[in-house]
Amino acid sequence: MAEHAWILAAVPGIAFIVMAALGRNLPRQGDWLAVLCATSIFGLFFAVLANFLNLGGGAWPVLNSIEWTAIGDFKLNMGIAVDPITIVMLAVITTVALMVNIFSVGYMKGEPRYWWYFAVLQLFVASMLMLVLADNLLLLYVAWELVGLSSFLLIGHYWERRSAVEAAKKAFITTRVGDVGLLIGIILFWEATGTFNILDIIHYVEEGAIGDTRLFVTMMFILLGAMGKSAQLPFHVWLPDAMEGPTPVSALIHAATMVVAGVYLVARLLPVFEAAGALDVVLVIGLLTALFSGVVAFAQTDIKKVLAYSTVSQLGFMFVALGAGYASAGMFHLFTHAFFKALLFLGAGSVIIGTHHHQEMGQLGGLWRKMPITAGTFLIGSLALAGLFPLAGFWSKDEILHAVEGQGTFFFFLISIAAIMTAFYTARLFVRTFLGKPQDEEIASHTRETGPVMTLPLVFLAFMSIVAGFFIFHDFGSAFGFPGGFSEFVFLHYPHAFHVDWGLVGLSTALFVIGTFGGAWFYWNGRLDRSTVMAEWQPKVYEMVQRKFYFDDLYQFLIDRVVLGFSYLVSWFDRFAVNDTGVDGSATMTGYAGFLLKHLQTGRVPNYAMAIAAGVVALTLISLAVGS
Amino acid sequence: MVPMENYLVLSGIIFSLGVYGVLARRNAVLVLMSVELMLNAVSLNFVAFSAYLDPDKATGIIFAVFVIAVAAAEVGLALAIVIRLFRNRSTANVDEAATMRW
Amino acid sequence: MTTEVLWWIFAVAIVAVSAGVVFARTVIHSAIFLILSLAGVGAMYLFLTIEFIALVQFLIYGGAVTVLILLALMLTRMGIAGRPEPTTGVQAPFGALVAAGLMATLIGVAVSTAWPGDLGQNAVAVSIENIGEQMFQNFGAPFMITAALLLVAFIGAIVIARQEDED
């Protein structure tokens, strides 16, 4: 079954075609088809997993490829490669996709283009699965662009709203900048090794087939693509705006799956990054991103925006782990983060539905009594994100701390700060949304808990948020068929057995306590809104944070002044040099030449006969001269 | 015996005289007669070649026959045009038919 | 020897009458010169011992075509009041130049070229049977097409030259 894992991608692909063609006319606009599709790939995943684990480590990675096209000597294969990293991604995608599909049935009820929403969701799942299954960079790139497309379509789902259109364009264009880098990187790889196959490329690189400088440059381009997709500094700007899309989409695409495609790509090519000496770059970018977006998350007032910056920050954590050379730590955080972040986003979606579309924290508060299930699961997700022992986030963050330990005290200190910030803004989010007194009685009076179609996915994900971290343990892993736990399942060069480092556990818990209780104390309702306090105390700093360190303004400036200025120059060149002089000019020249030459046409037949005769003589003489 | 070059030179002279007639004379019928001279020169050339170089196939002779046939057709048509021209413009001078222009 | 002398006499005569065609001041004179010229060329065919072509030349050119031309001349007779018109156009000097150049080129090429397979400088008699076979076997299709061409041309000539009713 593992070698036929492509079926996983094929099922939603077919579902997309069916739903895009017929969705509007199906009963219930085809949402049952979406859920059926998600359920079947969820089931199929377990078949793949069982087969994969049965085959055992000797058979990994499981390969299956066919010849795609052959042009002369140039042969292009297309196929799948299933290894532990892929399996982890498959687990995340199929699980979260199923939950999101179920949740969406409730969330999107009565929304415009209901059928189209589900159709594109299937397209996204299909392309995301294709992305992680692809055994070559070309197929990966195709899937990479397809997920970008479906992300664009889903962010812009409410295209009647101008802000949604802007956000969709922003996401598409920003990631496109990175994608161009990825494409250049792929081409450079192909030029150097003559293959797109990922395993072959890694093999060539380890043999030293590519020169140092060239390899480094190539990896920088690849990294550019990963940064764009995973919203790393300075490409992070699109992700918070992408919250314009329906909330379940945010959960699936902008928290659990698509944004981790960059992390996946780096993890997949980690040996190459290592050989290129580019790991430090990954580490620094991840660290900057984690710190930066942690700070910005303090000043956000929209639930989803906080979660978005939190996602950016956590993606930074993953990059840090990968940059430290620990594929297992990065992938493990990806794995656990997918569950609790999807939970938080779906929880936010539940809040939005329960309060009839309110998501500003200033208007909420005290939802605990009105929405107990949502609040309870949200609490579990928050604690997992903040890193409470022994929830999922704790173990994965622990692994990252462990990974960074080897990189020196400075980095370790900074990542600890980032961890505290995570706990802090998470506490702020939870406290201001669910605890205290309602800020707006009008909204509070209408608020009610959402139905089971939305709460059940929350409960399931909450369960996963609790247990997902245990996959790190040997006993837990061997129960599922991979003894040694997660870190002996996914690794860069050799597995490392996981040991609980009680010192780290203590430190980690301390970070959690500082952050969480600091945040809870600071934002506990009944006091003033501490954001206001901050704003009054240091208005400049507060404004800077709230304006996201002016990144958007900087980009706007760059686009307005530099890009548009240059465009104006180019358009001037096009209009005057190319169009007027070149195109119109040549036409005018031709016309004028014709105007002059028409006088040769006398209309008198003898003149024409004369021209013919003279021409014959001239040609004869010329041919004689040339011939002799 | 008469060598072949003699025929070729003779035909060249007749042809050139015909060309002069076509280029210089104004009367359309005379232009036509000059064209007949040119055609004759060509036929003579063909026949001379055929007789001297390739008597078995007689290709040049056949060609001369065709030239004569086509010339007959051409004369018939051209004279019809000349008559038409004369009837419409009361002239048979080629340089007075000067409307074939922009 | 006699043949050669005769040939030269004929050749000079042909050149003379051909010049007469293009230089004569009256068109009628030109037409008469043309008849002589055509007949002279027919005689040349006799020198080449190809009587068939000579016969065709006399019949079609000397007879039919010339009659046609004379007819056209009569139909296009200019006004009787003989205001003397120039017989040559303004480009006559250039025409003479070009024609002279052409003549020089043609003669030069004819004399200077070493013709392949020039068999003993002797014209060989071509039998009329041979011509007949060639024309109706190897050149059957062009022969038929020529027939169609003649038909079309004469119908066209009739249509063009027809006196229209409204005129």
Side-chain angles (χ1 to χ4, degrees):
Chain A
M1 185 60 205
E3 76 271 17
H4 291 302
W6 53 268
I7 293 172
L8 285 178
V11 170
I14 293 165
F16 163 70
I17 293 168
V18 171
M19 291 173 71
L22 307 171
R24 205 200 301 249
N25 305 319
L26 290 173
R28 288 185 56 83
Q29 299 198 17
D31 57 356
W32 53 274
L33 194 61
V35 175
L36 183 71
C37 164
T39 316
S40 53
I41 55 170
F42 186 64
L44 282 170
F45 162 68
F46 282 103
V48 171
L49 177 66
N51 180 251
F52 181 77
L53 293 173
N54 270 338
L55 286 172
W60 299 345
V62 179
L63 300 173
N64 185 7
S65 78
I66 56 165
E67 191 175 280
W68 189 354
T69 182
I71 305 164
D73 290 337
F74 174 72
K75 285 193 172 44
L76 202 52
N77 287 323
M78 174 175 69
I80 59 166
V82 185
D83 68 352
I85 294 181
T86 309
I87 288 289
V88 172
M89 294 299 293
L90 291 178
V92 167
I93 296 163
T94 53
T95 314
V96 178
L98 176 60
M99 292 307 130
V100 165
N101 268 301
I102 296 172
F103 187 89
S104 296
V105 172
Y107 185 88
M108 295 301 287
K109 194 173 183 178
E111 296 286 334
R113 296 179 291 284
Y114 186 73
W115 60 279
W116 176 242
Y117 168 83
F118 278 103
V120 179
L121 213 53
Q122 304 320 303
L123 173 65
F124 170 77
V125 174
S127 18
M128 191 67 208
L129 289 168
M130 190 164 111
L131 197 160
V132 298
L133 284 168
D135 74 343
N136 66 74
L137 288 173
L138 205 61
L139 188 59
L140 182 140
Y141 186 75
V142 171
W144 189 272
E145 296 295 348
L146 274 176
V147 294
L149 168 69
S150 20
S151 163
F152 167 80
L153 291 174
L154 287 169
I155 295 170
H157 186 71
Y158 301 117
W159 46 257
E160 295 87 349
R161 231 171 36 211
R162 187 172 170 74
S163 57
V165 177
E166 297 282 333
K169 274 197 299 188
K170 191 172 179 180
F172 198 69
I173 294 169
T174 313
T175 49
R176 188 64 57 257
V177 175
D179 293 351
V180 171
L182 176 61
L183 185 60
I184 294 173
I186 292 173
I187 293 169
L188 287 176
F189 266 142
W190 185 78
E191 205 215 340
T193 63
T195 178
F196 291 111
N197 191 292
I198 296 170
L199 290 171
D200 290 349
I201 286 174
I202 293 172
H203 183 68
Y204 279 123
V205 169
E206 281 172 347
E207 278 185 348
I210 310 179
D212 286 349
T213 319
R214 190 197 176 89
L215 186 60
F216 186 77
V217 171
T218 308
M219 289 332 282
M220 285 302 107
F221 278 118
I222 298 275
L223 183 61
L224 214 57
M227 284 159 63
K229 215 55 156 185
S230 284
Q232 295 299 292
L233 219 60
F235 295 119
H236 65 281
V237 290
W238 68 269
L239 186 53
D241 285 21
M243 297 301 132
E244 284 293 339
T247 311
V249 167
S250 310
L252 177 61
I253 300 183
H254 306 121
T257 53
M258 187 189 83
V259 290
V260 300
V263 179
Y264 164 78
L265 182 66
V266 176
R268 168 68 73 215
L269 293 173
L270 203 56
V272 188
F273 275 100
E274 193 184 32
L279 284 182
D280 293 341
V281 182
V282 179
L283 178 73
V284 170
I285 286 171
L287 199 55
L288 285 177
T289 309
L291 287 168
F292 162 81
S293 31
V295 173
V296 175
F298 288 157
Q300 298 301 311
T301 53
D302 183 316
I303 305 179
K304 289 183 68 184
K305 286 277 167 70
V306 177
L307 290 175
Y309 276 104
S310 156
T311 305
V312 177
S313 176
Q314 299 305 309
L315 291 168
F317 273 86
M318 297 173 204
F319 267 69
V320 166
L322 294 175
Y326 281 77
S328 67
M331 289 307 291
F332 191 48
H333 195 55
L334 187 160
F335 180 67
T336 58
H337 171 259
F339 296 120
F340 56 72
K341 189 51 69 64
L343 167 61
L344 289 173
F345 267 112
L346 291 185
S350 181
V351 167
I352 290 166
I353 291 296
T355 59
H356 303 286
H357 297 278
H358 286 94
Q359 55 195 76
E360 282 291 319
M361 288 195 292
Q363 297 175 320
L364 301 173
L367 294 179
W368 174 260
R369 282 181 212 86
K370 298 275 187 181
M371 310 181 72
I373 304 176
T374 304
T377 50
F378 203 93
L379 178 62
I380 293 171
S382 300
L383 293 175
L385 171 60
L388 174 68
F389 178 87
L391 299 185
F394 171 81
W395 299 107
S396 57
K397 206 165 290 179
D398 212 37
E399 276 290 275
I400 292 176
L401 289 175
H402 177 66
V404 181
E405 230 177 353
Q407 300 295 316
T409 326
F410 180 64
F411 287 130
F412 189 74
F413 175 72
L414 288 180
I415 200 75
S416 305
I417 298 286
I420 293 178
M421 291 196 301
T422 306
F424 192 89
Y425 64 68
T426 311
R428 169 175 178 264
L429 173 63
F430 185 79
V431 167
R432 293 193 58 187
T433 310
F434 289 98
L435 301 182
K437 283 194 301 229
Q439 301 290 316
D440 189 330
E441 292 297 339
E442 175 70 19
I443 294 170
S445 64
H446 291 118
T447 303
R448 56 184 51 83
E449 182 60 282
T450 46
V453 74
M454 293 167 74
T455 48
L456 282 179
L458 293 181
V459 172
F460 179 82
L461 285 171
F463 171 72
M464 286 306 293
S465 304
I466 296 169
V467 301
F470 300 140
F471 283 103
I472 198 74
F473 290 111
H474 167 74
D475 296 335
F476 209 79
S478 52
F480 280 88
F482 49 101
F486 197 93
S487 59
E488 292 188 33
F489 185 54
V490 178
F491 48 82
L492 175 53
H493 293 304
Y494 44 85
H496 79 277
F498 175 74
H499 299 292
V500 181
D501 181 343
W502 290 108
L504 262 185
V505 170
L507 175 72
S508 194
T509 307
L511 297 177
F512 165 77
V513 168
I514 295 169
T516 307
F517 285 91
W521 171 79
F522 204 81
Y523 288 106
W524 192 266
N525 202 9
R527 296 163 177 270
L528 274 174
D529 182 344
R530 291 304 178 135
S531 301
T532 326
V533 176
M534 275 293 288
E536 281 164 7
W537 177 49
Q538 280 290 0
K540 289 235 171 83
V541 174
Y542 182 76
E543 199 200 337
M544 184 171 81
V545 174
Q546 204 185 15
R547 299 285 296 273
K548 305 146 195 169
F549 291 92
Y550 303 112
F551 261 100
D552 284 305
D553 304 84
L554 174 68
Y555 289 162
Q556 197 64 47
F557 173 81
L558 281 178
I559 290 166
D560 283 351
R561 295 298 150 89
V562 181
V563 176
L564 287 185
F566 184 68
S567 306
Y568 180 79
L569 209 69
V570 173
S571 99
W572 181 87
F573 180 78
D574 180 63
R575 189 164 302 128
F576 290 98
V578 177
N579 193 41
D580 286 2
T581 313
V583 179
D584 289 357
S586 60
T588 312
M589 281 292 290
T590 312
Y592 188 64
F595 178 76
L596 290 181
L597 290 174
K598 76 177 180 182
H599 296 287
L600 285 179
Q601 300 287 318
T602 58
R604 289 163 204 275
V605 183
N607 296 152
Y608 301 161
M610 171 73 119
I612 294 172
V616 167
V617 175
L619 283 177
T620 313
L621 291 177
I622 289 171
S623 73
L624 283 176
V626 173
S628 63
Chain B
M1 292 300 284
V2 184
M4 188 178 78
E5 282 81 359
N6 286 16
Y7 289 97
L8 302 187
V9 171
L10 177 60
S11 121
I13 292 170
I14 301 173
F15 188 85
S16 305
L17 284 170
V19 168
Y20 172 75
V22 169
L23 295 182
R25 298 299 296 254
R26 299 177 68 214
N27 189 302
V29 180
L30 216 142
V31 169
L32 211 59
M33 289 195 255
S34 305
V35 171
E36 294 305 320
L37 273 186
M38 289 162 69
L39 283 168
N40 257 284
V42 171
S43 289
L44 179 60
N45 219 343
F46 276 128
V47 174
F49 274 129
S50 182
Y52 278 92
L53 302 184
D54 185 27
D56 295 336
K57 290 216 187 95
T59 318
I61 294 166
I62 306 294
F63 211 101
V65 173
F66 284 129
V67 167
I68 291 169
V70 173
E74 171 249 336
V75 168
L77 266 181
L79 287 176
I81 292 170
V82 170
I83 289 168
R84 188 69 191 221
L85 174 76
F86 183 75
R87 197 184 296 150
N88 284 352
R89 307 179 69 99
S90 301
T91 179
N93 284 351
V94 285
D95 53 1
E96 283 174 37
T99 50
M100 281 171 66
R101 55 186 283 186
W102 35 277
Chain C
M1 191 63 202
T2 338
T3 329
E4 272 184 61
V5 174
L6 267 177
W7 191 90
W8 278 105
I9 292 170
F10 266 98
V12 173
I14 290 170
V15 171
V17 292
S18 300
V21 173
V22 293
F23 291 117
R25 290 204 54 83
T26 2
V27 191
I28 296 293
H29 292 173
S30 292
I32 293 165
F33 281 131
L34 179 67
I35 296 171
L36 292 175
S37 172
L38 297 176
V41 173
M44 281 294 154
Y45 293 149
L46 285 176
F47 278 110
L48 287 165
T49 68
I50 304 169
E51 295 85 355
F52 173 69
I53 288 291
L55 204 63
V56 171
Q57 174 85 3
F58 289 139
L59 282 177
I60 296 177
Y61 265 128
V65 171
T66 326
V67 170
L68 209 56
I69 287 174
L70 286 172
L71 201 65
L73 280 178
M74 280 184 262
L75 282 173
T76 60
R77 184 56 73 72
M78 307 295 287
I80 311 187
R83 80 185 142 91
E85 281 191 0
T87 55
T88 54
V90 284
Q91 61 168 358
F94 302 103
L97 200 67
V98 169
L102 189 62
M103 191 188 290
T105 313
L106 287 174
I107 293 174
V109 169
V111 173
S112 65
T113 310
W115 298 103
D118 199 346
L119 305 167
Q121 309 223 328
N122 244 328
V124 181
V126 179
S127 70
I128 196 156
E129 291 93 341
N130 193 357
I131 297 173
E133 273 172 25
Q134 288 292 329
M135 190 180 299
F136 294 112
Q137 284 176 359
N138 292 351
F139 292 92
F143 187 79
M144 283 186 276
I145 293 169
T146 313
L149 173 79
L150 278 172
L151 181 65
V152 171
F154 283 119
I155 292 173
I158 292 166
V159 170
I160 290 173
R162 194 183 52 185
Q163 183 90 43
E164 279 160 19
D165 294 338
E166 60 264 34
D167 287 350

